[in-house]
């Protein structure tokens, strides 16, 4: 009996030590690797390979940050998926700055797309909460005592756009001592691009690149899309923003019929928050404020050297005019595909009528593509650009639409021969292919300066390496 008892005790002791050892190694080994990875120069980072990591065990979350919360921040994001994505990063950063408890953000359900998706329908909410808990305390919902059921009303407001730390510390923080819960009912561009301390800028990146992870359902289908495309060879993701909402909002009707132009105008008048009503389409196009048409995108791709064998993924929703408008593009590039052509309808069924979830699939494909080309510099184009920079400055061609439409018009009216057109287009875009450069800062004109999420330079390098990478001569601050 004594021998048996000793054997049992020894076995229990050995198993306990083994489990403790495994837990200890799991806790420290990932951090060690992450520390080494952060010290790697950008040009030695391994290329992006989308791996299906859904079956690997999740890493242990960081220890929670211990702080006294100054109140609860509730936010309702507005806009499409990528506008809301950037806003969520900003709101986590504001909560960290003010020592607040953040409620999981509400997503826009009243915009043009009328997407009923909640946060947890698009993003892995548990990962979002756990992965950032060493920075901010995030809860799924307010405590019951702050609910309408008990007669509580949160203070609702829209922060001033492009605001810096001083505004939030001096104007917003005192509100929490009075109201306990403040509800930001608009979150687009509420934090400045520049002049924010580096650790907060890096937190914006951490939320964007690590904290906001799509749900397993979206990731599974997104990885499948990428795998199918990669098996056929290199591919271009063309973000063809020639969609009804964009054309109506921008007032751009170049190439549309009279009936289509009238339909777009009526749609613009139907939405009160699209404030600018009377728009001269051709004037806006000459200013470079219109998305490229499918016909214009075709000529651009040809001038840049893409041939008929190029595999092109259309990363967008329904093209206005449908297949009729895509015909010139498809004639020149027959290997055009969309997610609806690659996947079985049953696989997409769960995402139908959920524009943000469909956009998440396009986002994943755009990040993984060999080349990314947006035809309009909207939120998706900017956020994808910044993500690809973070992943090692992957190639992306950002059309200079103001210069491009002039070249297109000269070529199409016979003034500029094709060979000269090709040379001119390539010269215009030789420095617009994802190379490193410093963000452009325009004092007192934040809307016109470079967007933080398109070029998060504080997160791309460290110390003196930034000067080597970005170069002091690349600074383009305007006075």
């Amino acid at each position: 009996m004594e021998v048996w008892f000793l054997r049992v005790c020894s076995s229990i002791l050995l198993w306990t030590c083994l489990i403790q050892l495994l837990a200890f190694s799991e806790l420290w080994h990932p951090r060690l690797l992450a520390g080494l990875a952060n010290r790697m120069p950008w040009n030695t980072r391994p290329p992006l390979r989308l791996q299906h990591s859904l079956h690997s065990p999740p890493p242990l979350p960081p220890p929670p940050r211990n702080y006294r919360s100054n109140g609860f921040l509730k936010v309702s994001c507005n806009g499409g998926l990528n506008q809301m994505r950037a806003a969520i990063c900003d709101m986590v950063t504001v909560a960290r700055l003010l020592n607040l408890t953040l409620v999981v953000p509400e997503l826009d359900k009243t915009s043009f797309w009328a997407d009923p998706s909640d946060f947890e329908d698009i993003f892995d909410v548990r990962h979002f909460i756990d992965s950032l808990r060493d920075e901010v305390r995030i809860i799924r919902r307010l405590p019951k005592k702050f609910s309408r059921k008990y007669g509580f009303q949160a203070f609702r407001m829209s922060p001033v756009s492009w605001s810096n730390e001083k505004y939030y510390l001096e104007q917003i923080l005192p509100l929490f001592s009075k109201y306990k819960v403040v509800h930001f009912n608009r979150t687009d561009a509420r934090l400045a691009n520049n002049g924010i301390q580096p650790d907060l800028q890096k937190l914006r990146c951490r939320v964007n690149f690590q904290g906001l992870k799509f749900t397993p359902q979206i990731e599974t289908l997104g990885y499948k899309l990428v795998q199918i495309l990669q098996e056929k060879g290199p591919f271009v993701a063309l973000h063809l923003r020639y969609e009804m909402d964009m054309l109506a909002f921008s007032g751009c009707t170049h190439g549309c019929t009279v009936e289509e132009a009238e339909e777009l105008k009526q749609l613009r008048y139907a939405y009160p928050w699209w404030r600018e009503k009377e728009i001269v389409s051709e004037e806006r196009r000459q200013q470079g404020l219109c998305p490229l048409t499918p016909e214009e995108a075709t000529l651009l791709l040809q001038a840049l050297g893409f041939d008929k064998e190029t595999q092109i993924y259309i990363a967008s929703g329904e093209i206005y005019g449908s297949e009729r408008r895509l015909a010139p593009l498809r004639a020149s590039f027959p290997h055009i595909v969309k997610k609806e052509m690659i996947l079985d309808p049953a696989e997409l069924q769960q995402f139908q009528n959920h524009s943000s979830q469909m956009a998440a699939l396009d986002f994943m494909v755009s990040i993984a593509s060999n080349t990314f080309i947006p035809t309009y510099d909207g939120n998706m184009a900017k956020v994808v650009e910044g993500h690809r920079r973070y992943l090692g400055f992957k190639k992306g061609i950002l059309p200079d639409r103001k210069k491009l439409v002039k070249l297109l018009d000269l070529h199409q009216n016979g003034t500029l021969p094709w060979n000269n057109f090709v040379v001119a287009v390539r010269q215009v875009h030789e420095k617009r292919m994802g190379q490193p450069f410093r963000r452009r800062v325009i004092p007192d004109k934040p809307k016109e300066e470079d967007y933080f999420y398109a070029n998060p330079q504080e997160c791309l390098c460290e110390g003196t390496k930034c000067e080597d990478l970005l170069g002091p001569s690349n600074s383009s601050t305007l006075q």
Side-chain angles (χ1 to χ4, degrees):
M1 289 291 292
E2 288 180 359
V3 172
W4 178 85
F5 180 74
L6 287 172
R7 286 178 177 175
V8 170
C9 291
S10 300
S11 299
I12 293 173
L13 181 62
L14 285 171
W15 276 108
T16 302
C17 292
L18 180 60
I19 291 171
Q20 291 293 331
L21 183 61
L22 288 172
F24 183 81
S25 64
E26 183 69 22
L27 179 64
W28 289 105
H29 186 60
R31 292 186 182 181
L32 177 61
L33 291 178
L36 291 173
N38 290 336
R39 289 170 173 78
M40 289 173 64
W42 72 273
N43 55 356
T44 62
R45 290 179 187 170
L48 174 67
R49 298 289 183 191
L50 282 178
Q51 300 287 343
H52 201 303
S53 59
L54 299 177
H55 301 296
S56 59
L60 291 175
R65 176 170 167 251
N66 185 20
Y67 65 98
R68 180 179 177 182
S69 176
N70 289 319
F72 296 90
L73 176 61
K74 187 176 180 181
V75 298
S76 296
C77 301
N78 56 294
L81 173 66
N82 291 285
Q83 180 172 303
M84 293 191 291
R85 184 187 187 101
I88 293 167
C89 300
D90 286 352
M91 293 302 103
V92 171
T93 305
V94 169
R96 174 65 176 82
L97 172 66
L98 304 183
N99 287 332
L100 303 174
T101 298
L102 177 69
V103 183
V104 169
E106 298 174 351
L107 303 188
D108 194 340
K109 296 179 175 63
T110 61
S111 65
F112 172 85
W113 304 276
D115 187 341
S117 300
D118 291 317
F119 185 97
E120 57 267 26
D121 297 321
I122 301 173
F123 301 109
D124 186 331
V125 66
R126 174 46 54 195
H127 174 80
F128 176 68
I129 293 172
D130 288 347
S131 66
L132 298 169
R133 69 178 192 168
D134 59 331
E135 294 282 2
V136 179
R137 192 176 305 141
I138 304 174
I139 58 177
R140 290 177 182 262
R141 57 190 62 85
L142 284 169
K144 289 184 179 180
K145 65 179 180 179
F146 295 119
S147 68
R148 290 183 179 180
K149 181 179 178 181
Y150 293 91
F152 182 83
Q153 290 287 340
F155 180 72
R156 294 171 62 89
M157 64 170 295
S158 299
V160 176
S161 300
W162 312 113
S163 296
N164 58 21
E165 297 158 81
K166 183 179 179 181
Y167 166 79
Y168 282 100
L169 288 168
E170 295 183 359
Q171 302 295 322
I172 300 300
L173 183 57
L175 296 174
F176 287 90
S177 60
K178 181 177 181 180
Y179 298 104
K180 302 303 178 186
V181 179
V182 175
H183 185 173
F184 290 168
N185 50 21
R186 292 186 69 85
T187 57
D188 57 318
R190 303 293 150 165
L191 190 60
N193 290 313
N194 303 292
I196 306 296
Q197 55 182 297
D199 61 325
L200 292 179
Q201 296 286 55
K202 290 182 178 181
L203 177 56
R204 295 168 94 175
C205 292
R206 180 178 169 189
V207 183
N208 189 19
F209 304 133
Q210 300 172 29
L212 289 175
K213 180 181 178 184
F214 293 127
T215 63
Q217 294 84 355
I218 292 174
E219 282 202 345
T220 298
L221 210 53
Y223 287 134
K224 182 175 181 178
L225 266 172
V226 171
Q227 184 177 10
I228 293 172
L229 289 164
Q230 288 179 339
E231 286 174 353
K232 296 179 180 179
F235 69 96
V236 174
L238 179 66
H239 182 44
L240 191 59
R241 194 67 170 94
Y242 199 77
E243 298 157 296
M244 190 180 215
D245 66 295
M246 172 50 62
L247 299 178
F249 171 73
S250 63
C252 297
T253 57
H254 182 74
C256 294
T257 65
V258 174
E259 293 77 16
E260 287 173 335
E262 181 61 27
E263 180 184 36
L264 294 170
K265 181 179 179 180
Q266 292 304 319
L267 178 61
R268 183 165 67 254
Y269 274 81
Y271 287 85
W273 52 87
W274 290 354
R275 297 176 182 174
E276 193 175 354
K277 302 299 182 182
E278 292 299 328
I279 299 174
V280 180
S281 173
E282 200 52 40
E283 287 183 4
R284 179 154 292 204
R285 178 174 174 269
Q286 293 299 324
Q287 295 168 355
L289 301 176
C290 289
L292 298 180
T293 67
E295 297 86 352
E296 292 170 337
T298 302
L299 292 171
L300 172 64
L301 290 169
Q302 290 174 328
L304 291 171
F306 294 99
D307 59 29
K308 293 178 73 72
E309 300 305 313
T310 303
Q311 183 183 197
I312 298 177
Y313 176 87
I314 303 295
S316 67
E318 180 65 29
I319 301 301
Y320 189 61
S322 194
E323 285 300 313
R324 177 180 63 82
R325 292 309 300 270
L326 276 178
L329 184 62
R330 195 179 295 282
S332 299
F333 300 96
H335 300 292
I336 284 181
V337 294
K338 298 186 290 185
K339 51 186 172 292
E340 293 83 359
M341 297 169 60
I342 299 175
L343 299 172
D344 188 281
E347 294 178 296
L348 280 174
Q349 182 63 40
Q350 61 181 318
F351 303 116
Q352 294 296 336
N353 302 319
H354 295 82
S355 59
S356 291
Q357 295 180 49
M358 296 286 266
L361 297 174
D362 286 337
F363 181 88
M364 290 185 66
V365 176
S366 298
I367 294 298
S369 64
N370 298 86
T371 306
F372 174 68
I373 304 177
T375 60
Y376 185 76
D377 58 349
N379 288 294
M380 177 166 172
K382 292 174 180 175
V383 174
V384 169
E385 178 191 353
H387 214 115
R388 289 172 67 88
R389 288 180 178 277
Y390 181 77
L391 294 171
F393 297 92
K394 299 184 69 182
K395 184 179 180 180
I397 302 172
L398 306 175
D400 186 329
R401 296 189 308 280
K402 187 172 183 179
K403 294 180 181 178
L404 185 58
V405 294
K406 294 177 181 178
L407 294 174
L408 286 164
D409 289 346
L410 288 173
H411 171 64
Q412 291 178 317
N413 67 22
T415 306
L416 188 64
W418 175 253
N419 289 340
N420 293 4
F421 173 74
V422 169
V423 171
V425 168
R426 294 185 181 185
Q427 286 178 343
V428 166
H429 295 96
E430 63 182 357
K431 294 184 179 179
R432 298 176 65 86
M433 296 194 177
Q435 302 96 326
F437 66 87
R438 288 192 180 277
R439 266 199 322 273
R440 181 179 54 165
V441 180
I442 307 178
D444 303 321
K445 293 184 179 180
K447 290 183 179 181
E448 299 177 24
E449 65 186 8
D450 290 341
Y451 189 43
F452 172 82
Y453 291 101
N455 187 13
Q457 62 191 36
E458 295 89 340
C459 312
L460 306 180
C461 56
E462 294 184 5
T464 57
K465 292 179 182 176
C466 291
E467 294 302 320
D468 298 334
L469 176 59
L470 302 172
S473 60
N474 289 336
S475 178
S476 53
T477 302
L478 302 182
Q479 301 297 334

